[in-house]
Amino acid sequence: MTHRPRVGLWLGAAILMAIGIAVEHGGSRAPAAPSTLFAQANESYRHGHYPRSLELYTTLLAQGMESGPLYYNLGNALLKNGQPAEALWAYLNAQRLTPRDPDLRANLAAVRLLLSDAAAASITTPRLGRLLTFNGCGSLQELAGATLMALWVSILCWMGWAWVMPIRRGLGPVAAIATLLLAAALAALIAQTYQEQGRPAAVVIAPTAQVRFAPEASGTVYFTLPEGAVVERLATLELSAASSWVQVRRADGRAGWVSAASLHPL
């Protein structure tokens, strides 16, 4: 597995974000800039101080920072700290933002191998969804950009075909191809949006999660979920500040209620 912290892609965005951070005047100490925290977390990781690096990466997430390299490095630290299910959660979040990263793909495959017992219960992307999104080769932002670009190219081609008579014959096929590319990009964008937002998922982080018929600790256990299982989230019920339940569904369609503390939402 590759455990190489990522810095380049993060620093540019982090420096811009740091510009907007307010610095308190007076005796209190100003908070560290995101780029500084990220560098400190990477340094802690390199020296084997995994709990410290986890603390810093988590602080960045709590501040609203989000990027593929941040989730990737967090996953590496979690894996080194003996938390493979949490590492899977971090890698899956990184995949959503940087789906073509080869190091990420290698680490994701390795952690799934460690959690092989969870494969049977884990939901997967339907075949049609994989086909429409070209097997998840692009992030939502990339697909949105490709769709917008294809839209403008298609519009310009058809405008030229309609108004510029000397090139109408040659521009017709180009306009038709641009329209087909637009349709493909739009279908991929819709499918990817549904997979990420219309079908919310979660990773089981408890060694064994008991799924019950009713959202209560005394409810009858319906089935159990192994650590690292990826399940679909159907509903959330907060009974109190200390008691929250999530209705989940596994790969075979069985659904039930599990304590929210056993899950990390994706």
Side-chain angles (χ1 to χ4, degrees):
M1 287 182 294
T2 304
H3 297 293
R4 176 167 53 84
R6 303 299 181 75
V7 179
L9 294 177
W10 171 261
L11 285 181
I15 290 172
L16 292 176
M17 294 176 184
I19 295 175
I21 295 179
V23 179
E24 295 183 3
H25 297 281
S28 60
R29 183 178 179 180
S35 57
T36 301
L37 288 180
F38 191 67
Q40 291 174 354
N42 292 340
E43 193 66 20
S44 296
Y45 177 88
R46 291 190 188 97
H47 287 87
H49 303 151
Y50 305 123
R52 176 57 177 165
S53 66
L54 287 176
E55 179 184 347
L56 294 173
Y57 290 137
T58 303
T59 298
L60 286 167
L61 288 177
Q63 291 179 355
M65 311 304 170
E66 188 178 51
S67 76
L70 173 57
Y71 278 119
Y72 173 85
N73 290 5
L74 174 61
N76 289 345
L78 286 164
L79 196 57
K80 287 287 189 179
N81 202 48
Q83 299 171 263
E86 288 90 334
L88 174 65
W89 168 83
Y91 287 148
L92 289 174
N93 277 301
Q95 185 183 47
R96 174 171 51 87
L97 300 168
T98 53
R100 296 182 303 280
D101 188 314
D103 291 339
L104 171 60
R105 288 185 175 184
N107 286 13
L108 188 54
V111 78
R112 279 174 167 158
L113 189 61
L114 289 175
L115 300 167
S116 57
D117 291 343
S122 296
I123 60 173
T124 58
T125 304
R127 181 177 300 177
L128 179 60
R130 294 197 300 271
L131 178 63
L132 290 175
T133 61
F134 308 101
N135 203 27
C137 67
S139 66
L140 267 182
Q141 292 81 358
E142 290 170 338
L143 291 175
T147 302
L148 183 61
M149 181 179 296
L151 174 63
W152 278 110
V153 170
S154 180
I155 290 174
L156 291 174
C157 286
W158 284 115
M159 288 176 63
W161 178 84
W163 295 340
V164 186
M165 297 303 294
I167 61 173
R168 182 171 186 174
R169 178 176 298 179
L171 203 55
V174 176
I177 293 173
T179 302
L180 290 176
L181 291 175
L182 171 61
L186 184 59
L189 178 62
I190 293 173
Q192 188 81 355
T193 301
Y194 171 75
Q195 291 170 22
E196 293 187 12
Q197 301 177 9
R199 196 185 183 203
V203 177
V204 176
I205 60 170
T208 300
Q210 294 184 327
V211 183
R212 304 176 185 274
F213 282 107
E216 53 187 30
S218 59
T220 303
V221 176
Y222 184 20
F223 57 88
T224 60
L225 288 170
E227 182 182 16
V230 180
V231 293
E232 186 178 358
R233 289 184 289 126
L234 302 177
T236 301
L237 180 63
E238 294 186 8
L239 299 179
S240 66
S243 179
S244 181
W245 294 82
V246 180
Q247 189 181 33
V248 299
R249 179 162 55 202
R250 66 184 190 183
D252 63 1
R254 291 188 179 184
W257 294 88
V258 64
S259 171
S262 302
L263 305 172
H264 265 353
L266 287 168

